[in-house]
Amino acid sequence: MGRVSLGILASGRGSNFQAIVDEIEAGKLNASVKLLIVDNAGAYARERAKRHSIEHLFLDAEGFPTKEEFFSRISEEFRKRGVQLVVLAGFMRVVRRPLLDAFPLRIMNIHPALLPCFPGLHGQKQAVEYGVKLSGCTVHFVDEGMDTGPIIIQAAVPLAPDDTEESLSERILELEHKIFPEAIRLFSEGRLKVEGRVVRITGHRVNGEAIVNPPLS
Ligand code: GAR
């Protein structure tokens, strides 16, 4: 595919957005960020965009008569700038039509748990409270469900007996910053083939196509 044009959606801190920008600037990811849209005026992700001279926009969902109109505007802003892949980097809303229809299998999300376990908010807290021994993070394509779309990459983290939501979140976040740029890289290289709900990674050197904690470049 060559250089892929990204549209980013974020709600807060933006460390995943930063990890993607860093990989691009280091020449390790053949992509460019066309626009960052935040749905929260105070999102720190905006400061990061300013620092890297990336165009950014705040859209207040409450200012739109319906959710569909909010997502229609997002879709319009991305299309105007030639966005090819939409990246949800800590975007705390369920994506709706018409954005879904405008970018079919062209929207990726990062989730801080091993889906299909612990979807929705506070994936790390859910894992600690459930008492699982392994959790992690998942990059997946977005469909109309809540964290239900085809899974692209997962990475696992063992839980320590004294883990809290905070300590687990920190360890998971380190892996998020690796697998999200990696998933975008695979997309940009045209290596993601979706069959039903299964994403096949073509030409991957590790473990056939079932990737768990791949050696990341
Ligand atoms: C990340 O841990 C991401 O996985 C999570 O929000 C955090 C955003 O951090 N996303 C979700 O929970 C989505 N349901 P960041 O703003 O520093 O990238």
Side-chain angles (χ1 to χ4, degrees), residues 45-59:
R46 288 174 100 184
E47 301 306 315
R48 300 180 191 271
K50 279 182 207 159
R51 226 183 286 150
H52 292 272
S53 306
I54 291 170
E55 192 186 357
H56 54 94
L57 189 63
F58 161 57
L59 291 180

Side-chain angles (χ1 to χ4, degrees), residues 80-132:
K80 267 200 292 206
R81 291 163 180 86
V83 165
Q84 295 162 298
L85 179 68
V86 175
V87 173
L88 310 187
F91 184 62
M92 299 303 175
R93 280 174 198 277
V94 176
V95 169
R96 304 269 190 129
R97 292 173 207 294
L99 183 62
L100 279 175
D101 293 333
F103 293 92
L105 292 175
R106 295 285 181 276
I107 306 177
M108 276 185 196
N109 180 44
I110 182 106
H111 182 74
L114 292 176
L115 292 172
C117 284
F118 312 131
L121 295 177
H122 309 295
Q124 306 95 326
K125 183 165 185 268
Q126 293 184 59
V128 169
E129 288 176 355
Y130 198 93
V132 291

